[in-house]
Amino acid sequence: AFYRLTPTGERVEIGSKVANVRLDAGDRFVMETSGGGGLGDPRDRPVDEVAADVAAGRVSRRAALAEYGVVIDDDGTAARRAT
């Protein structure tokens, strides 16, 4: 989604294929996307947050170990893998 956010909080939708969109002083141009690569080193993510993602089905146990360095036991117990 692309939109202009005015200083009063009004959200004005902007098409994805437009040119010469006017922005006034104080306006903000916002572009929302469907995800991203994250911020920082995945191995710095708190263990409990990784465990919550595994429990919710957003991350597999295999990915928790490979990407975050977190071991999730069969009972859901989580621990940082020893290096």
Side-chain angles (χ1 to χ4, degrees), residues 4 7 9 11-12 23-24 29-30 33 36 40 49 51 56 61 63-65 67 71 73 80 83:
R4 176 172 58 102
R11 179 178 165 147
V12 180
L23 297 177
D24 296 321
F29 173 77
V30 180
T33 62
E49 290 181 15
R61 288 172 53 192
L65 177 59
E67 304 299 327
V71 176
D73 292 333
R80 184 76 57 197
T83 57

Side-chain angles (χ1 to χ4, degrees), residues 11 19 24 32 34 46 62 70 73 77-80:
R11 179 178 165 147
D24 296 321
E32 295 177 344
S34 61
R62 178 180 285 183
V70 174
D73 292 333
T77 303
R80 184 76 57 197

Side-chain angles (χ1 to χ4, degrees), residues 30-55:
V30 180
M31 180 174 66
E32 295 177 344
T33 62
S34 61
L39 178 66
D41 186 340
R43 294 183 181 269
D44 292 338
R45 187 148 190 247
V47 171
D48 59 330
E49 290 181 15
V50 176
D53 280 347
V54 171

Side-chain angles (χ1 to χ4, degrees), residues 1-5 11-18 21 28-33:
F2 300 97
Y3 59 93
R4 176 172 58 102
L5 191 61
R11 179 178 165 147
V12 180
E13 297 293 326
I14 300 172
S16 63
K17 302 213 185 305
V18 297
V21 174
R28 290 186 283 162
F29 173 77
V30 180
M31 180 174 66
E32 295 177 344
T33 62

